[in-house]
Amino acid sequence: MLPENPRVVGSVGTLFIATAVGPMVLKRLDVLARTMSVDRAGILLRAAGVGSAENPAILVGTLYAVGLIVGSCGIGHAMRARAREAHRHLHLQAWQLRQLVPR
């Protein structure tokens, strides 16, 4: 469920923005190692934590893909459960209304 408190929503939004923009700013200030460089040849993206070894790179890629799939399945399951509960609630209300209104 989404929180109803606007303060919580604002805090979560601020946290998401900080986690997206924070590392970029720290890399520009050379606090963290830069993982992206741009020159006339194009854009070069490097994964600092993986290095040049093939096996760790494959492991990280595999774990990332599995994490995306598991996360998507979890979100889909939660959405379907909420939709199912909403339908059940509507059917119950319709039944209750039919009991109150004579034909």
Side-chain angles (χ1 to χ4, degrees), residues 11-59:
S11 299
V12 171
T14 303
L15 180 65
F16 282 159
I17 291 170
T19 56
V21 176
M24 181 178 64
V25 171
L26 292 175
K27 289 175 186 179
R28 287 287 123 200
L29 296 174
D30 289 326
V31 175
L32 295 176
R34 292 188 180 197
T35 57
M36 183 177 90
S37 60
V38 180
D39 59 10
R40 290 189 313 201
I43 299 174
L44 174 65
L45 299 171
R46 288 179 274 110
V50 174
S52 61
E54 183 179 357
N55 288 338
I58 291 172
L59 177 65

Side-chain angles (χ1 to χ4, degrees), residues 63-81:
L63 291 175
Y64 180 73
V66 168
L68 283 177
I69 293 168
V70 169
S72 298
C73 289
I75 291 170
H77 176 73
M79 290 174 63
R80 180 66 186 131

Side-chain angles (χ1 to χ4, degrees), residues 1-6 8-9 12 16 74-75 77-83 85-86 89:
M1 294 195 128
L2 293 175
E4 295 180 13
N5 186 347
V8 172
V9 173
V12 171
F16 282 159
I75 291 170
H77 176 73
M79 290 174 63
R80 180 66 186 131
R82 290 180 68 185
E85 181 61 25
H89 189 72

Side-chain angles (χ1 to χ4, degrees), residues 91-103:
H91 283 290
L92 178 61
Q93 284 182 343
W95 179 84
Q96 288 171 339
L97 287 173
R98 282 193 304 269
Q99 302 307 310
L100 293 175
V101 177
R103 289 188 176 217

